[in-house]
Amino acid sequence: MVISKTASDSDVSVHSTFASRYVRSSLPRFKMGESSIPKEAAYQIINDELMLDGNPRLNLASFVTTWMEPECDKLMMDAINKNYVDMDEYPVTTELQATLSIFNRCVNMIAHLFNAPLRDTETAVGVGTVGSSEAIMLAGIAFKRKWQKKRKAEGKSVDKPNIVTGANVQVCWEKFANYFEVELKEVKLREDYYVMDPVKAVELVDENTICVAAILGSTLNGEFEDVKLLNDLLIEKNKKTGWDTPIHVDAASGGFIAPFLYPELEWDFRLPLVKSINVSGHKYGLVYAGIGWVIWRTKEDLPEELIFHINYLGADQPTFTLNFSKGSSQVIAQYYQLIRLGYEGYRNVMENCRENAIVLREGLEKMGRFKIVSKDNGVPLVAFSLKDNSCHDEFEVSDMLRRFGWIVPAYTMPADAQHVTVLRVVIREDFSRTLAERLIIDITKVLHELDALPAKISAKINGIEKGLNGTVVKKTVLETQREITDVWKKFVKARKTQVIC
């Protein structure tokens, strides 16, 4: 006789995940649940929500690496349970005084790439960080401490330190200035000149300037700032004033580009006033998000009192970071890329990125609708704006491209160029020629669809129109909603009548 029984809710082993009660009821979002759920259900529920994210490969807003080789993925997973700070337990992965570890190898390789003045047996000075934001914080702290020590030795005030930058700096510089009480003196931008003007920057330097920060690869348009001219002008000012104002180079985006595409460009430690450089390994260093580096010119440029020594993890360990524990996977991935690709491999990747950027730029220029804002030399990206945005603007283009899967940001420039709006496409290693050509086709489609719209939707959303005498008429919310609805009804109806079955 066959004995059978009805499966209850507790018999999770006989249910598929989608047949279980866990997908029929809401799970807690902001408080921990009282009871456990099966691992399969937890995985499926989280995985289903993550499907709603955009495709990282099509996220053209980001400079951050979104693809690595499977072999490197495996190395990262194998090391995911290793704590980067446990130097004695993982001497090969991390830094131990008597061992030239993977960490130290990365620091030295990058220092040599940046032409640090190292003797044959000399070890480079640098640290790995979570990204360029932490790297910039550490470099800034070092500059501030050196400036304070010198001022105190001279019997002078240390109350008003400042940093000179362009208005195009990334937000991490504003964070540093806020968190560590340093004034940020910004050189304003102007139309068609979207980076820091070295002449104006040096004019802002005074006795309280702890450093001038130059950007090798502006976030806004990818352009390299003229570090060589800045260095030469600052040398002259230092001679006249008796100051010794140094330079920090924020090479978050351009540090792994310039050595391979523009090896003759002087921006690094070949310039005497450049005392520290940060670079993002997770950008064009070709590693997944979570790794940055800061390199100092010499040991004297990093004050010894900023380095802490601990021994409670098994051995004396020097540390200079803002955080403590973190995974080792990204450091190992960086070492993999450095030895796997070598100089030749990095150069080939960067050349491909530049060539695909040229293809995209030329495709946009052929449309005749866009003005190219980015420069030929710099980070391989294309920043562009509409020549005529009186009917439709860049934000509408960005929004409509999302229907094709593309994430292309639109933004306004900083002061004093905030009236300029641009779209930006970052060309990464995994952005192929085929994708560049596909994007051109989709942008063309978007422009045609926008041209078919009877009015600028953004203006109607704001409820603003001009009256007969040119005065601005502000409509009520209800009037605006009705008009927007009518516009879209007419647009959809027109599209339906064009369908051929």
Side-chain angles (χ1 to χ4, degrees):
M1 182 174 65
V2 177
I3 300 176
S4 63
K5 66 176 183 176
T6 302
S8 67
D9 281 347
S10 61
D11 294 322
V12 294
S13 60
V14 299
H15 288 311
S16 75
T17 299
F18 291 113
S20 71
R21 61 187 173 91
Y22 303 105
V23 296
R24 295 200 302 267
S25 58
S26 298
L27 292 178
R29 289 177 178 269
F30 305 112
K31 285 186 178 180
M32 189 180 294
E34 292 295 329
S35 58
S36 304
I37 66 174
K39 59 182 183 294
E40 297 85 0
Y43 171 83
Q44 191 65 57
I45 291 167
I46 296 172
N47 184 67
D48 287 352
E49 279 204 79
L50 292 177
M51 288 193 303
L52 300 175
D53 276 342
N55 185 339
R57 294 278 305 278
L58 300 182
N59 180 8
L60 307 182
S62 179
F63 292 81
V64 176
T65 297
T66 54
W67 178 87
M68 295 187 74
E69 293 176 326
E71 292 78 6
C72 191
D73 289 346
K74 185 176 186 305
L75 280 175
M76 294 182 73
M77 289 305 300
D78 290 344
I80 201 167
N81 60 347
K82 291 184 179 180
N83 189 353
Y84 170 85
V85 80
D86 289 342
M87 301 177 183
D88 194 38
E89 289 78 0
Y90 312 118
V92 175
T93 300
T94 58
E95 181 183 18
L96 198 60
Q97 287 180 344
T99 306
L100 188 62
S101 62
I102 286 177
F103 169 85
N104 262 338
R105 294 173 198 175
C106 290
V107 167
N108 278 269
M109 286 183 183
I110 296 169
H112 283 289
L113 192 65
F114 296 166
N115 295 292
L118 300 172
R119 294 185 292 272
D120 292 340
T121 58
E122 190 175 2
T123 301
V125 181
V127 296
T129 61
V130 175
S132 275
S133 291
E134 184 188 1
I136 285 168
M137 303 285 175
L138 298 178
I141 293 169
F143 281 120
K144 184 179 179 182
R145 183 60 59 88
K146 286 202 69 175
W147 174 83
Q148 287 174 327
K149 288 176 64 177
K150 182 183 178 184
R151 297 279 292 179
K152 287 178 179 178
E154 296 172 348
K156 297 179 179 179
S157 170
V158 294
D159 295 338
K160 298 180 179 179
N162 68 70
I163 287 180
V164 176
T165 70
N168 57 315
V169 291
Q170 215 262 2
V171 70
C172 59
W173 285 98
E174 298 177 37
K175 290 181 179 180
F176 170 77
N178 191 326
Y179 298 163
F180 295 97
E181 298 181 327
V182 176
E183 180 190 1
L184 199 64
K185 300 173 72 173
E186 294 184 341
V187 178
K188 302 302 182 185
L189 309 184
R190 60 181 185 271
E191 190 167 353
D192 295 327
Y193 197 94
Y194 303 115
V195 293
M196 181 178 69
D197 185 334
V199 175
K200 293 183 178 179
V202 173
E203 289 174 355
L204 291 177
V205 171
D206 58 31
E207 62 179 349
N208 293 317
T209 302
I210 64 175
C211 77
V212 180
I215 302 178
L216 194 78
S218 172
T219 301
L220 302 177
N221 69 344
E223 188 175 351
F224 291 167
E225 292 182 345
D226 194 339
V227 188
K228 175 68 165 60
L229 177 57
L230 176 65
N231 178 84
D232 295 345
L233 293 173
L234 202 49
I235 286 176
E236 291 301 315
K237 184 157 189 172
N238 285 343
K239 286 180 180 178
K240 292 178 181 178
T241 59
W243 305 332
D244 57 356
T245 307
I247 295 172
H248 174 85
V249 179
D250 179 357
S253 298
F256 277 107
I257 295 172
F260 307 107
L261 292 185
Y262 315 105
E264 303 304 318
L265 181 66
E266 294 184 51
W267 64 273
D268 52 19
F269 292 122
R270 286 170 288 183
L271 303 175
L273 291 185
V274 174
K275 302 299 182 182
S276 56
I277 301 172
N278 70 276
V279 65
S280 292
H282 59 221
K283 292 183 180 176
Y284 288 92
L286 307 180
V287 178
Y288 292 136
I291 185 69
W293 304 92
V294 57
I295 311 295
W296 282 272
R297 185 184 191 87
T298 65
K299 292 180 180 179
E300 290 72 29
D301 295 308
L302 175 57
E304 178 64 31
E305 64 267 25
L306 293 177
I307 302 173
F308 290 81
H309 292 265
I310 60 172
N311 61 10
Y312 48 78
L313 291 176
D316 180 67
Q317 300 173 11
T319 176
F320 178 44
T321 55
L322 294 182
N323 63 302
F324 196 63
S325 294
K326 68 174 181 177
S328 298
S329 296
Q330 270 73 14
V331 174
I332 292 170
Q334 185 71 82
Y335 184 59
Y336 172 90
Q337 294 289 46
L338 291 171
I339 66 169
R340 159 79 174 95
L341 295 175
Y343 192 93
E344 177 189 25
Y346 268 97
R347 186 183 63 238
N348 289 339
V349 169
M350 302 311 156
E351 287 177 346
N352 284 345
C353 290
R354 179 172 60 182
E355 289 173 6
N356 288 331
I358 292 172
V359 169
L360 178 59
R361 187 195 70 210
E362 292 176 346
L364 293 171
E365 288 174 335
K366 287 179 181 177
M367 295 180 196
R369 303 281 295 272
F370 295 106
K371 175 185 177 182
I372 305 300
V373 176
S374 51
K375 305 297 182 182
D376 292 339
N377 294 336
V379 177
L381 61 78
V382 184
F384 52 103
S385 59
L386 286 165
K387 292 179 179 179
D388 179 8
N389 60 3
S390 59
C391 293
H392 303 287
D393 61 26
E394 291 80 2
F395 294 100
E396 290 175 277
V397 174
S398 173
D399 186 56
M400 294 191 73
L401 279 172
R402 282 181 175 264
R403 295 195 294 109
F404 297 91
W406 303 106
I407 302 173
V408 178
Y411 52 88
T412 56
M413 290 292 192
D416 287 332
Q418 59 266 40
H419 60 284
V420 178
T421 305
V422 299
L423 296 146
R424 188 195 66 210
V425 174
V426 178
I427 309 299
R428 299 189 303 271
E429 176 188 16
D430 55 349
F431 187 80
S432 65
R433 182 70 55 86
T434 301
L435 286 178
E437 293 169 348
R438 181 75 244 179
L439 178 58
I440 293 169
I441 293 171
D442 290 342
I443 291 175
T444 303
K445 290 179 180 178
V446 164
L447 292 177
H448 288 161
E449 291 188 12
L450 285 173
D451 289 341
L453 290 175
K456 188 173 181 178
I457 296 301
S458 59
K460 292 187 177 296
I461 290 173
N462 292 327
I464 298 172
E465 284 193 1
K466 287 188 176 180
L468 296 176
N469 58 354
T471 58
V472 175
V473 178
K474 182 74 175 179
K475 296 190 175 184
T476 66
V477 175
L478 183 60
E479 288 174 333
T480 301
Q481 289 176 343
R482 285 174 176 171
E483 189 163 350
I484 292 173
T485 302
D486 290 340
V487 168
W488 280 110
K489 281 182 178 178
K490 291 177 182 177
F491 175 67
V492 172
K493 185 177 180 181
R495 291 295 301 273
K496 284 182 177 179
T497 58
Q498 294 172 7
V499 175
I500 299 175
C501 298

